[in-house]
């Protein structure tokens, strides 16, 4: 039977915790995202979300099961007491909200229980929404462990109950999870996320695989252009281990490009000794492998160059679609009182000018409403006149 029992208090008041989650009040589903992210951050390869309804009360429970490392009851204060700190702090592979996201459950329901198995030890941790700063952690016998964890070596099973509001249907839940976790699923094909047994797919994207060499070091780089923004994830350049964990990330220079979302993932055995902290100490006897290494600087230049080419291709494709849209909506002047030949030329010339202007600064068109946009297109100058028609008859003789 379990014997250890711990009561703990977070280093922040109950009201202070609630205040931290004010920004999520209009999107309480973020609480589910955080629990899933905690599972992946704990090294899980699979996370299952199980939504149970009953005929009388509607939403009965939401269970988030992961096969990660579990929570060590001897150190659960690191997970539940240190609200503004986290064992994940500084870990580029972590997606959760650094030690506080797990308490977002109170936006959805009134009670949360973490059944967990870590190093073969079984435990349960409970938090109530009326007293968020306090938790109880108790070691339990294997016979009292949650059934979904009983056959697993390690993991966590979070059970949410007594809901304040309902969740969207399964299809909408999967769609939201695709948007939020798609980049993680694309990063590691062995990761899996399900909702009531149905797999969450990687959202629509275009993947370009490149193999590049810098100073005799070979890197494999995946460029993933997302059709829709992947949740709140920005455009990053990632360094990834062969096991699919993020070793390092830096913001891409292609953020704030309208409707353009690009993630790059670089892999190489060269990264086995990568020091993301740029430490000056080196006991390995090998050349230091970090951001200042000439190989890494060369890799960054190549990634930036290829990303620029992908962006230019995106703009060309996008502006062609916009031209078709503008023509269908009648944005281009009709030129009724000139010849058909000149009308065709003027429209072609205007389209060409719009393309060049759009590629130079897409925000001009993206941020302009319909009426001003039509006026802008109508005022585009005729920068090139049509070539004069050549006469095929011989010139008159001067003799």
């Amino acid at each position: 039977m379990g014997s250890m029992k711990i009561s703990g208090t977070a280093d922040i008041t109950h009201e202070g915790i609630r205040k931290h989650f004010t920004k999520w009040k209009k999107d309480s589903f973020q609480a589910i995202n955080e629990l899933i992210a905690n599972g992946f951050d704990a090294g899980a390869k699979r996370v299952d979300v199980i939504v149970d309804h009953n005929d009388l009360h509607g939403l009965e429970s939401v269970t988030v099961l992961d096969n990660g490392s579990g929570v060590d009851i001897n150190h659960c204060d690191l997970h539940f007491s240190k609200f503004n700190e986290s064992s994940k702090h500084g870990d580029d592979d972590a997606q959760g909200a650094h030690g506080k996201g797990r308490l977002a459950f109170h936006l959805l329901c009134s009670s949360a229980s973490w059944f967990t198995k870590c190093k073969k030890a079984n435990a349960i941790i409970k938090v109530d929404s009326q007293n968020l700063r306090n938790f109880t952690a108790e070691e339990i016998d294997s016979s009292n462990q949650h059934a979904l964890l009983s056959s697993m070596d390690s993991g966590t099973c979070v059970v949410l109950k007594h809901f304040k509001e309902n969740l969207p249907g399964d299809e909408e839940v999967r769609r939201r999870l695709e948007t939020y976790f798609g980049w993680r699923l694309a990063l590691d094909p062995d990761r899996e996320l399900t909702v009531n047994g149905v797999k969450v797919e990687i959202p629509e994207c275009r993947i370009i695989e490149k193999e590049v060499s810098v100073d005799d070091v070979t890197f494999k780089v995946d460029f993933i252009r997302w059709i829709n923004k992947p949740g709140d994830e920005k455009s990053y350049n990632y360094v990834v281990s062969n096991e699919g964990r993020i070793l390092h990330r830096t913001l891409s220079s292609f953020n704030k490009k309208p409707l353009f979302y690009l993630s790059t993932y670089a892999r190489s055995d060269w990264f086995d000794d990568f020091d993301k902290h740029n430490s000056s100490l080196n006991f390995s006897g090998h050349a230091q492998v970090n951001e200042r290494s000439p190989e890494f600087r060369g890799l960054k230049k190549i990634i930036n160059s290829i990303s620029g080419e992908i962006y230019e291709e995106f703009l060309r494709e996008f502006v062609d679609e916009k031209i078709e849209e503008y023509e269908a909506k009648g944005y281009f002047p009709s030129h009724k009182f000139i010849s058909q030949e000149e009308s065709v030329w003027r429209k072609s010339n205007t389209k060409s000018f719009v393309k060049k202007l759009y590629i130079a600064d897409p925000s001009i068109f993206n941020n302009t409403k319909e009426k001003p946009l039509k006026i802008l297109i109508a005022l585009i100058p005729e920068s090139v006149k049509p070539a004069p028609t050549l006469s095929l008859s011989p010139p008159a003789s001067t003799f």
Side-chain angles (χ1 to χ4, degrees):
M1 293 293 293
S3 57
M4 182 184 297
K5 189 169 184 178
I6 299 170
S7 296
T9 304
D11 55 2
I12 187 174
T13 66
H14 172 79
E15 288 304 320
I17 294 173
R18 291 177 62 88
K19 186 176 180 181
H20 266 282
F21 296 106
T22 300
K23 64 179 180 180
W24 289 348
K25 279 187 176 179
K26 293 183 179 179
D27 185 21
S28 54
F29 188 83
Q30 182 66 23
I32 305 295
N33 289 339
E34 288 297 317
L35 295 176
I36 296 169
N38 284 339
F40 283 132
D41 292 346
K45 287 294 185 181
R46 181 184 174 108
V47 177
D48 299 290
V49 179
I50 302 153
V51 184
D52 285 324
H53 293 86
N54 65 42
D55 295 334
L56 291 177
H57 306 292
L59 184 57
E60 176 71 18
S61 67
V62 173
T63 302
V64 179
L65 172 71
D66 72 71
N67 63 356
S69 58
V71 179
D72 186 346
I73 190 173
N74 296 301
H75 299 101
C76 62
D77 59 316
L78 296 176
H79 300 272
F80 289 87
S81 295
K82 306 296 184 183
F83 183 76
N84 288 313
E85 299 178 21
S86 172
S87 57
K88 299 178 292 185
H89 185 67
D91 184 357
D92 287 321
D93 195 57
Q95 189 177 3
H98 296 300
K100 56 192 177 187
R102 63 182 63 84
L103 296 181
F105 79 87
H106 76 273
L107 299 171
L108 280 173
C109 64
S110 62
S111 70
S113 300
W114 283 258
F115 292 88
T116 188
K117 184 187 286 189
C118 179
K119 300 174 184 177
K120 306 294 184 181
N122 297 281
I124 183 171
I125 303 160
K126 294 181 179 180
V127 182
D128 189 272
S129 67
Q130 299 302 310
N131 196 357
L132 289 169
R133 70 184 308 229
N134 291 338
F135 70 89
T136 60
E138 182 178 4
E139 192 174 354
I140 58 175
D141 189 75
S142 59
S143 61
N144 294 322
Q145 181 58 276
H146 196 286
L148 293 174
L149 277 178
S150 59
S151 62
M152 295 167 58
D153 292 332
S154 65
T156 300
C157 182
V158 188
V159 181
L160 306 181
K161 286 191 172 182
H162 307 120
F163 285 82
K164 304 173 185 177
E165 58 182 85
N166 208 340
L167 286 183
D170 286 5
E171 187 175 343
E172 174 64 13
V173 168
R174 286 196 301 274
R175 187 194 66 78
R176 293 190 186 190
L177 296 182
E178 282 177 9
T179 300
Y180 196 79
F181 292 100
W183 67 275
R184 249 188 196 282
L185 299 174
L187 173 63
D188 185 353
D190 293 331
R191 282 195 181 113
E192 193 166 306
L193 176 59
T194 70
V195 177
N196 286 345
V198 180
K199 190 175 178 180
V200 173
E201 301 293 343
I202 297 171
E204 188 179 1
C205 61
R206 294 185 183 180
I207 302 177
I208 299 171
E209 299 176 351
K210 296 281 187 179
E211 188 170 287
V212 300
S213 295
V214 183
D215 296 340
D216 298 325
V217 178
T218 300
F219 300 92
K220 292 182 178 179
V221 186
D222 291 340
F223 297 80
I224 302 183
R225 179 168 76 79
W226 306 99
I227 304 305
N228 298 303
K229 189 177 189 301
D232 59 359
E233 185 70 3
K234 296 179 180 177
S235 293
Y236 283 102
N237 296 324
Y238 295 94
V239 170
V240 183
S241 71
N242 289 322
E243 292 75 37
R245 291 188 68 82
I246 297 167
L247 302 175
H248 177 65
R249 68 178 184 178
T250 54
L251 281 170
S252 163
S253 58
F254 291 87
N255 280 286
K256 298 184 179 179
K257 303 290 186 185
L259 304 177
F260 182 75
Y261 317 106
L262 184 70
S263 303
T264 74
Y265 305 101
R267 292 175 171 85
S268 174
D269 292 339
W270 186 82
F271 290 126
D272 288 349
D273 299 315
F274 188 76
D275 175 18
K276 68 178 181 179
H277 301 294
N278 294 316
S279 171
S280 60
L281 299 176
N282 182 15
F283 301 106
S284 67
H286 300 101
Q288 283 192 297
V289 175
N290 55 35
E291 283 187 278
R292 295 193 295 266
S293 302
E295 296 91 341
F296 189 75
R297 293 200 302 266
L299 175 65
K300 285 177 66 176
K301 288 181 180 178
I302 292 174
I303 288 175
N304 193 63
S305 176
I306 296 174
S307 297
E309 293 171 5
I310 293 172
Y311 179 59
E312 289 178 6
E313 181 184 359
F314 158 77
L315 280 182
R316 286 192 294 269
E317 291 177 358
F318 191 75
V319 74
D320 285 341
E321 293 175 4
K322 281 293 181 184
I323 293 293
E324 291 182 11
E325 177 189 330
Y326 293 167
E327 184 157 31
K329 291 182 176 180
Y331 287 6
F332 293 104
S334 58
H335 303 300
K336 295 179 180 178
F337 303 107
I338 58 177
S339 68
Q340 183 179 0
E341 182 183 4
E342 186 173 355
S343 176
V344 169
W345 171 83
R346 285 194 181 188
K347 181 177 285 190
S348 174
N349 185 65
T350 302
K351 288 180 180 179
S352 177
F353 195 94
V354 168
K355 287 183 182 181
K356 292 176 182 177
L357 195 57
Y358 199 103
I359 290 173
D361 187 0
S363 65
I364 293 175
F365 294 92
N366 290 337
N367 299 328
T368 307
K369 294 183 178 179
E370 180 177 338
K371 189 173 181 179
L373 185 57
K374 291 176 72 174
I375 295 172
L376 174 63
I377 292 174
L379 292 175
I380 287 176
E382 297 176 22
S383 56
V384 180
K385 294 292 182 184
T389 304
L390 296 177
S391 172
L392 298 179
S393 57
S397 174
T398 56
F399 293 95

